[in-house]
Amino acid sequence: MTPVELSRTVLHAVRRAVDDGELSVAVPERAVVSEPGPGGCGDYATTIALQLARPAGQPARRVAEILLPRLADAAGIREVVVTGPGFLNISLAEQAQADLVTAVVREIRARGAAYGHGDALAGQVVALRVPYEVRAEVVADAVVRLVAAQGGRATVEHAEPVTLRPVPAPEDPAPLGPDAAQWALLHPAPHDRPRITADHLVQRESNPLFRVRYAHARVRSVSRNAARLGFSAEPGPIEPAIDTGTRSSTSTDGGNDAVVVSRDLLTPLADHPRILAAAATHRAPDRLARHLVTVADAVLPFLPSVLPSGEEKPSAAHRARLALAEAAGTVLAGGLSLLGIDAPEHL
């Protein structure tokens, strides 16, 4: 079950509640599903109950409780929990999780760097009016690419009234070099003052830009090493096959760890299209920058499980893990490109 399919499932639950007379609302065209927020649980969460509360004339939590049983009995859903004022937290069934990994990886492999590009702004012309200031220019340049990735077109001019005015850079970022300068100006939220400091060049975990570029380079390295071992990526279940109650002789105890870590990686990969649409719609490349850090932090712990270790032979699980890792690398490279930053093969 992909996020798009889950969105349809949520809308079907709303439609059933309306048909049963428990809700009196117009069924919306779409339902947003995303990673659970603080205090949430499960694989995905939706705010559909909060969205429908006012037109339904009922508290959001009551709307969520009406939708809960209709969601819980849908195919591919293991559990639904209501948290906070009315968030519906959805856990997928084990097979649905495996199918989702395969579906997301296949979509990323098919679309490549264009994964997440869509039509959220199709036909729209976004006029950006910016001051003569380096950060405003860099942010506008990134917004032009993000808007184009969502089917729209953005124009940039220096005119009043200004429509895009991030907090200016305190000094010239050019000494950082092109990539670090771009990141220093794009990663902070528009209302935050950017830091033009040498820590953007430090090659260690404390530097978010380093983590993102290092994660991409590590994925590329894993792919090269897999080729030397004679196997390539193939989407599928990342857990080794189980035979007569035990794992196959080609597997190790790392299989369970890989499954757990892959779930942390799958969520931001599946959420990438929504993030790109939001970054373009809200003229906020910082959302994409922070999302890339999330992807990098999720893929790095997963990489040790990709290649066979010791006397292991490459298996279908290794090929599937490699496909998932390469999908993360594709998302990192595509996202960095939209920000105007190079994705290195070696680092």
Side-chain angles (χ1 to χ4, degrees):
M1 182 181 293
T2 66
V4 172
E5 292 169 337
L6 183 55
S7 176
R8 295 195 192 105
T9 299
V10 171
L11 292 179
H12 181 63
V14 174
R15 193 170 293 109
R16 287 175 58 196
V18 170
D19 292 343
D20 293 343
E22 291 200 57
L23 284 179
S24 179
V25 294
V27 180
E29 293 184 1
R30 62 191 297 264
V32 175
V33 295
S34 59
E35 182 177 0
C41 58
D43 300 306
Y44 290 99
T46 178
T47 58
I48 189 68
L50 284 75
Q51 177 184 339
L52 296 178
R54 178 170 291 182
Q58 300 193 54
R61 192 170 182 91
R62 174 56 187 155
V63 174
E65 290 168 350
I66 291 172
L67 297 177
L68 187 152
R70 294 170 170 84
L71 270 175
D73 66 3
I77 292 180
R78 176 172 57 83
E79 183 182 36
V80 181
V81 176
V82 178
T83 60
F87 299 109
L88 284 159
N89 298 263
I90 302 166
S91 297
L92 300 182
E94 188 170 331
Q95 185 58 48
Q97 272 279 2
D99 293 344
L100 177 57
V101 172
T102 303
V104 170
V105 170
R106 283 180 174 158
E107 182 179 358
I108 295 173
R109 287 168 65 86
R111 301 201 62 190
Y115 171 66
H117 294 203
D119 58 2
L121 299 178
Q124 296 188 33
V125 177
V126 178
L128 302 172
R129 294 188 291 273
V130 302
Y132 287 96
E133 193 277 321
V134 64
R135 188 185 185 197
E137 298 274 7
V138 168
V139 171
D141 187 55
V143 170
V144 168
R145 288 189 291 271
L146 288 166
V147 169
Q150 295 302 313
R153 181 170 67 87
T155 62
V156 183
E157 60 179 334
H158 298 284
E160 295 290 341
V162 169
T163 59
L164 186 67
R165 191 196 296 271
V167 173
E171 56 190 284
D172 182 8
L176 295 176
D179 290 330
Q182 287 281 116
W183 184 267
L185 298 176
L186 294 175
H187 180 251
H191 56 270
D192 291 334
R193 182 175 294 277
R195 294 180 299 102
I196 310 302
T197 55
D199 58 346
H200 292 295
L201 301 173
V202 173
Q203 308 249 334
R204 59 175 63 127
E205 291 184 359
S206 59
N207 178 3
L209 174 59
F210 168 74
R211 297 207 304 275
V212 171
R213 301 178 84 217
Y214 176 64
H216 177 266
R218 280 284 311 279
V219 169
R220 300 304 302 140
S221 175
V222 166
S223 295
R224 291 191 295 269
N225 289 334
R228 293 188 186 102
L229 291 173
F231 75 99
S232 58
E234 179 62 38
I238 65 164
E239 187 175 10
I242 300 208
D243 183 19
T244 63
T246 61
R247 297 198 181 278
S248 67
S249 60
T250 60
S251 69
T252 68
D253 290 339
N256 284 331
D257 293 337
V259 172
V260 172
V261 177
S262 73
R263 290 172 182 165
D264 296 334
L265 175 56
L266 175 64
T267 299
L269 293 184
D271 208 27
H272 186 64
R274 184 188 68 83
I275 295 293
L276 287 188
T281 301
H282 298 285
R283 328 300 188 236
D286 59 290
R287 296 192 182 194
L288 172 57
R290 290 193 295 273
H291 176 66
L292 295 181
V293 176
T294 300
V295 174
D297 289 346
V299 73
L300 283 170
F302 177 70
L303 293 178
S305 70
V306 173
L307 298 178
S309 61
E311 298 299 318
E312 268 191 302
K313 303 294 185 183
S315 66
H318 291 113
R319 292 192 290 274
R321 294 175 200 169
L322 178 60
L324 179 57
E326 290 182 348
T330 298
V331 167
L332 291 172
L336 286 171
S337 177
L338 287 172
L339 296 178
I341 298 174
D342 177 56
E345 293 284 314
H346 303 270
L347 193 62

